[in-house]
Amino acid sequence: MACAAGLALVPLIAWAQPSTPPPAPAGPRAYTPVTDDMLRSPPPGEWIAWRRTQDNQGSSPLTRINRSTVGRLELAWAWPMADDGIQETAPLMHDGLLFLQTNSSVVQALDARTGDLVWEYRPTLPKVPVEQAYRRYQGRRQKNSIALYMDTVVLTTADARIVVLDARTGAVLREAQVFDPELGYGYTVGPQIVNGKIISAISGCSIAETAGGCFITAHDFTTLKEVWRVNTLDDPENPAQSASWGPVPPQNRWGGTPWTTGSYDPRTNLVFWGTGGPGPYAELVRGSGAGDVLYTNSTLAIDASTGKIRWYYQHLPRDNWDLDSPFERILVDDRSGGEVRHLLITVAGKNGIFFALDRDTGRYLWSQETVFQNVVTGIDPDGKVHVNTDLIPKRLGEEMLACASVSGGKLWQAASYSPLSKSLFVPLTESCSSVTPIQAEFAAGSMVGSVKMGPRKLPPGSEDAGLVQAIPIGAERPPSGGWEARQRTSLTSSLLATDGGLVFGGDAGRYVKAWDQKSGKIVWQARLNAPVGGSPMTYELDGEQFLVVPTGYSAAAATISSAFPEVPLPSGTGNSIFVFKLKKK
């Protein structure tokens, strides 16, 4: 796709200076290259990608930890993360090495049996001026910023680089400066690897200097040369996309950020990425009128070879409340009814609405609300989403109460689909806040939201902030089934489903929990040092199954903590991982 006119991006392959070298490894290790076939069908005992498999299901086939044995879990080892900041990490494990990416683009490899450090990569990052608060904030909230491929670790950095590391030693093999960090661009999510291409998405698209372009790109794994790019704010090949912004030219558009790593279907060679909302947030400030502002808050199905958009579906048009819809797109094959239906399922955005789409065509199948929301008034049979126009401010300073809030609803914490129970398990938060449009100065490094957000609070009549919901999945809306597990504190981690019949996750109250997939009852819990965060995962070595639980500072806990004042949050960050295994009988 073409770039927006006037974008001041750095050259596509401006090679960066070598970063600080890692410490020397203890010795050579056996390491099996991670191939494309392995990414499509991982070894059962390993976790080699963000949600383990390229369909983003976030599920493990391991069964040693199950309903009968989970009570025997005990701590095997723990490890403090290398840096503080908002904790949203996703550990990976392959060939006995546990790879951990933390804030400031630090990567560590640990011995997955003992927790001993094998190597560390710590890059030198540019200093961000103190007055550029939003840019600094984005640089301290990296999520799943690594991928494994062949004998390397592929890292996307806070200063907009792609770095390829030797998986055995942490040595830098090659790196490329993809976008200009001085404009505010940076990576907060990691890449997906598809047939020798590194497919990644940039953040910072709501910072003043980045108007006109937010991008999903593909780079050749061997050379790091760019193969294709999609601009989520400007598609010259789709007149409807440009028209949906009204009189706003591409160089005055912000947003459309792909905040969450996409999924991949090898059958059709399509990757599926979600996008966030437009900027400025209020349409009376951004000048788009009643336009839908495509491709914001949308699912984009992109040909992995060419970068062509094959279809798109918009989950929330005309967003005025920063209710991003970029979260994980999960691919499921439904075999009920005598035919295979290829589904894309997602709780796409902060308003918590679940969507089921035909992933070959983008056709809307069905939807379901999860948390209390007042922004969407209805969805037509053809999938057209209607917003509550009474909540669209007509003048500056006009305050509206939006539910869910900018803090969700559903946030970055990923849902998990279990093939065992054929259900999607979703971590959710009940939350509302006032949204008031203002005329703000677009200063360097600042966000262009141009709204004032009020304190987060519970919806009317609600006493519980946290919710895990189980949604039975099929090509047609299920008439019944599923369950809800509500609790006072907010859910602060992704969820992990296993073939042991369990769902693992954690909350602001510092509890990691296991829910029974059938009933939603808590069958095990342990209290740790900080809110549970990031993406819990599991692996198996030497006949033992391990459960990895990240903890640390959580914006998902802090923004709604006034709803449960009896549960004080820690004053420190406590960013760590805790690794459990079954106590021997």
Side-chain angles (χ1 to χ4, degrees), residues 178-224:
V178 182
F179 295 95
D180 188 350
E182 294 303 314
L183 296 178
Y185 285 112
Y187 289 109
T188 61
V189 297
Q192 59 181 161
I193 312 297
V194 176
N195 298 328
K197 295 183 182 66
I198 300 169
I199 301 177
S200 58
I202 201 66
S203 300
C205 309
S206 296
I207 290 177
E209 299 97 317
T210 64
C214 201
F215 303 98
I216 303 166
T217 63
H219 288 75
D220 182 88
F221 169 73
T222 302
T223 65
L224 296 188

Side-chain angles (χ1 to χ4, degrees), residues 87-98:
Q87 199 287 95
E88 301 175 3
T89 194
L92 308 179
M93 199 289 290
H94 175 57
D95 268 1
L97 284 177
L98 190 146

Side-chain angles (χ1 to χ4, degrees), residues 148-209:
L148 304 182
Y149 191 57
M150 304 309 289
D151 54 359
T152 73
V153 178
V154 181
L155 166 70
T156 51
T157 70
D159 60 344
R161 284 180 290 146
I162 296 176
V163 181
V164 180
L165 307 173
D166 187 308
R168 299 178 182 87
T169 68
V172 177
L173 301 177
R174 51 194 175 274
E175 55 185 305
Q177 187 74 58
V178 182
F179 295 95
D180 188 350
E182 294 303 314
L183 296 178
Y185 285 112
Y187 289 109
T188 61
V189 297
Q192 59 181 161
I193 312 297
V194 176
N195 298 328
K197 295 183 182 66
I198 300 169
I199 301 177
S200 58
I202 201 66
S203 300
C205 309
S206 296
I207 290 177
E209 299 97 317

Side-chain angles (χ1 to χ4, degrees), residues 457-534:
K457 57 185 179 181
L458 295 176
S462 178
E463 296 181 353
D464 297 321
L467 168 64
V468 175
Q469 187 163 124
I471 303 174
I473 298 301
E476 307 298 333
R477 179 194 294 270
S480 61
W483 48 260
E484 291 184 349
R486 293 187 178 270
Q487 59 178 60
R488 282 281 287 165
T489 53
S490 58
L491 273 294
T492 51
S493 81
S494 299
L495 297 184
L496 160 68
T498 73
D499 279 4
L502 301 173
V503 180
F504 292 94
D507 60 32
R510 315 199 320 269
Y511 282 102
V512 55
K513 299 178 180 181
W515 292 268
D516 187 310
Q517 285 188 25
K518 292 182 178 179
S519 66
K521 293 182 178 179
I522 297 171
V523 294
W524 174 81
Q525 63 181 17
R527 204 168 199 192
L528 304 178
N529 66 325
V532 178

Side-chain angles (χ1 to χ4, degrees), residues 373-581:
Q373 68 86 27
N374 64 355
V375 169
V376 172
T377 57
I379 302 177
D380 292 341
D382 66 357
K384 173 64 178 176
V385 177
H386 297 275
V387 299
N388 185 353
T389 55
D390 291 341
L391 288 181
I392 296 177
K394 305 301 188 295
R395 62 183 184 278
L396 294 176
E398 185 177 10
E399 181 179 297
M400 298 293 181
L401 180 67
C403 303
S405 77
V406 62
S407 302
K410 173 69 167 61
L411 282 173
W412 61 265
Q413 300 97 311
S416 177
Y417 173 79
S418 170
L420 180 72
S421 59
K422 295 181 175 54
S423 293
L424 182 71
F425 302 97
V426 191
L428 298 157
T429 299
E430 298 279 11
S431 178
C432 303
S433 72
S434 61
V435 181
T436 307
I438 59 174
Q439 192 67 61
E441 179 185 358
F442 291 178
S446 67
M447 182 176 61
V448 298
S450 294
V451 297
K452 181 175 67 176
M453 300 288 186
R456 285 37 153 187
K457 57 185 179 181
L458 295 176
S462 178
E463 296 181 353
D464 297 321
L467 168 64
V468 175
Q469 187 163 124
I471 303 174
I473 298 301
E476 307 298 333
R477 179 194 294 270
S480 61
W483 48 260
E484 291 184 349
R486 293 187 178 270
Q487 59 178 60
R488 282 281 287 165
T489 53
S490 58
L491 273 294
T492 51
S493 81
S494 299
L495 297 184
L496 160 68
T498 73
D499 279 4
L502 301 173
V503 180
F504 292 94
D507 60 32
R510 315 199 320 269
Y511 282 102
V512 55
K513 299 178 180 181
W515 292 268
D516 187 310
Q517 285 188 25
K518 292 182 178 179
S519 66
K521 293 182 178 179
I522 297 171
V523 294
W524 174 81
Q525 63 181 17
R527 204 168 199 192
L528 304 178
N529 66 325
V532 178
S535 297
M537 65 86 150
T538 187
Y539 61 90
E540 190 170 78
L541 283 171
D542 306 324
E544 291 187 298
Q545 184 180 351
F546 296 80
L547 171 69
V548 182
V549 181
T551 65
Y553 176 75
S554 172
T559 56
I560 191 65
S561 60
S562 61
F564 39 88
E566 74 279 11
V567 184
L569 300 181
S571 57
T573 61
N575 292 2
S576 307
I577 59 170
F578 291 82
V579 181
F580 296 85
K581 66 177 182 178

Side-chain angles (χ1 to χ4, degrees), residues 282-358:
E283 62 188 39
L284 66 87
V285 179
R286 66 176 176 259
S288 57
D292 288 347
V293 286
L294 291 168
Y295 295 120
T296 66
N297 291 327
S298 298
T299 295
L300 302 181
I302 303 168
D303 187 299
S305 297
T306 66
K308 298 294 184 181
I309 296 175
R310 296 304 182 194
W311 60 257
Y312 62 90
Y313 176 84
Q314 190 169 38
H315 301 269
L316 182 63
R318 202 178 172 182
D319 186 0
N320 278 262
W321 315 275
D322 189 25
L323 294 179
D324 290 334
S325 299
F327 307 122
E328 67 284 352
R329 271 55 175 171
I330 298 172
L331 312 183
V332 173
D333 289 342
D334 174 44
R335 290 178 167 81
S336 61
E339 64 174 320
V340 178
R341 302 287 296 276
H342 305 292
L343 310 183
L344 181 149
I345 60 174
T346 179
V347 180
K350 295 176 182 178
N351 60 19
I353 297 177
F354 166 88
F355 290 86
L357 307 177
D358 182 310

